[in-house]
Amino acid sequence: MVKLRYITSVLLDITIFNPSSISVTMTIVSPSMLSSDFSRLGEELVRVEKAGADWAHLDVMDGMFVPNITFGPPVIKAIRKYSKMPFDAHLMIEDPIRYIDAFADAGCDMITVHCEAKGDIHGAIAKIKAKGLKAGISINPETEVTALEEFLPEVELVLVMTVHPGFGGQSFISDCVPKISWVKEWAKKNGREILVSVDGGVNAETSKTCVDAGADILVAGSYLFKMQDMSPTISKWHRS
Ligand code: DX5
Ligand code: ZN
């Protein structure tokens, strides 16, 4: 079986069967715009897309769920026209159900909420899906992986945090890596297609650890944005 994953304007998974049993899978790269130059956010999106990125990871922080504030739907709406890449919104906000409509209308393609956030998280996921978007659930480093279980039948994406959410440029917490394989195992056992994304401290070494554990998507901010040209790294990660 040859498995090819093509990324188009939305997530698309194509499996082609043939007699040989080679498996070729492309890792999705989703640069975190948190490390971009916010005064030129539109141009930074163009730079990332030209470098071969698949998705744009948008870190939304409310100053309550995390001790930092970034941007919200009006900014996302303003930058939507700069890129055709799917917008992968990571909501680090309390009671996210209040804002799902606004983020969907701003042009997000995937919305991920935290299992630790206050409010109706199942309701938020249902609302994301009712808007026709892909839904994700994210988990903080200190949260037991089993906290995800009640949400897994409802989501297409799991975002494993490998740093404490709130800031870019922190060191990778390797204790979180077993969560990646745990989710992939759960999905296999339960016959569900769930993509696992890893967020925080992803670099040349840690990206390999994550992909080896089964990660489908690499989110990286500071490591990619400090490069003049991120395209060789993105191509390398695609093939990892
Ligand atoms: C942290 C964010 C991450 C962050 C990753 O709360 O969710 O997306 O931008 O940044 P790096 O890659 O620098 O750890
Ligand atoms: Zn993030």
Side-chain angles (χ1 to χ4, degrees):
M1 185 185 85
V2 179
K3 188 175 182 203
L4 298 173
R5 180 171 299 130
Y6 295 106
I7 308 306
T8 60
S9 58
V10 287
L11 179 68
L12 185 62
D13 216 340
I14 299 173
T15 303
I16 301 168
F17 293 93
N18 86 2
S20 67
S21 58
I22 314 154
S23 178
V24 183
T25 308
M26 200 179 99
T27 300
I28 297 166
V29 182
S30 186
S32 164
M33 302 310 293
L34 183 65
S35 292
S36 72
D37 178 350
F38 275 13
S39 71
R40 302 166 44 254
L41 206 42
E43 292 157 54
E44 289 283 72
L45 266 181
V46 173
R47 169 158 88 104
V48 160
E49 188 163 15
K50 279 192 180 148
D54 306 293
W55 300 351
H57 184 85
L58 302 173
D59 287 304
V60 175
M61 306 185 190
D62 65 353
M64 300 292 285
F65 183 74
V66 287
N68 195 6
I69 300 177
T70 54
F71 49 77
V75 172
I76 294 175
K77 190 173 180 204
I79 60 171
R80 184 59 282 189
K81 60 179 177 288
Y82 286 87
S83 170
K84 289 199 172 5
M85 286 183 292
F87 278 4
D88 164 30
H90 175 193
L91 303 191
M92 286 161 274
I93 68 175
E94 295 292 16
D95 205 5
I97 197 168
R98 299 171 295 159
Y99 292 103
I100 301 304
D101 282 338
F103 282 104
D105 297 345
C108 295
D109 299 280
M110 290 156 270
I111 300 182
T112 294
V113 293
H114 267 264
C115 66
E116 303 88 356
K118 287 191 193 116
D120 179 5
I121 302 305
H122 289 284
I125 292 168
K127 204 158 185 186
I128 295 166
K129 293 169 79 165
K131 294 295 272 186
L133 310 183
K134 304 286 181 193
I137 189 82
S138 185
I139 181 162
N140 283 341
E142 66 277 8
T143 306
E144 280 296 324
V145 69
T146 47
L148 287 175
E149 212 158 2
E150 62 178 290
F151 302 104
L152 295 182
E154 300 160 18
V155 296
E156 284 87 26
L157 192 71
V158 169
L159 182 67
V160 173
M161 291 306 299
T162 41
V163 295
H164 297 288
F167 301 93
Q170 304 176 70
S171 300
F172 186 81
I173 304 170
S174 53
D175 287 357
C176 304
V177 171
K179 290 179 182 173
I180 302 168
S181 35
W182 188 93
V183 173
K184 293 308 285 186
E185 277 300 310
W186 186 97
K188 203 170 153 191
K189 247 188 270 163
N190 291 276
R192 294 226 57 230
E193 179 79 18
I194 296 178
L195 296 181
V196 177
S197 187
V198 186
D199 187 6
V202 173
N203 60 31
E205 292 79 42
T206 58
S207 58
K208 192 175 172 339
T209 310
C210 297
V211 171
D212 288 350
D216 303 288
I217 300 142
L218 296 172
V219 174
S222 52
Y223 181 69
L224 288 179
F225 278 95
K226 69 174 187 240
M227 295 173 182
Q228 193 77 15
D229 180 7
M230 56 178 88
S231 56
T233 301
I234 292 176
S235 331
K236 197 171 170 192
W237 285 356
H238 277 155
R239 296 190 307 271
S240 65

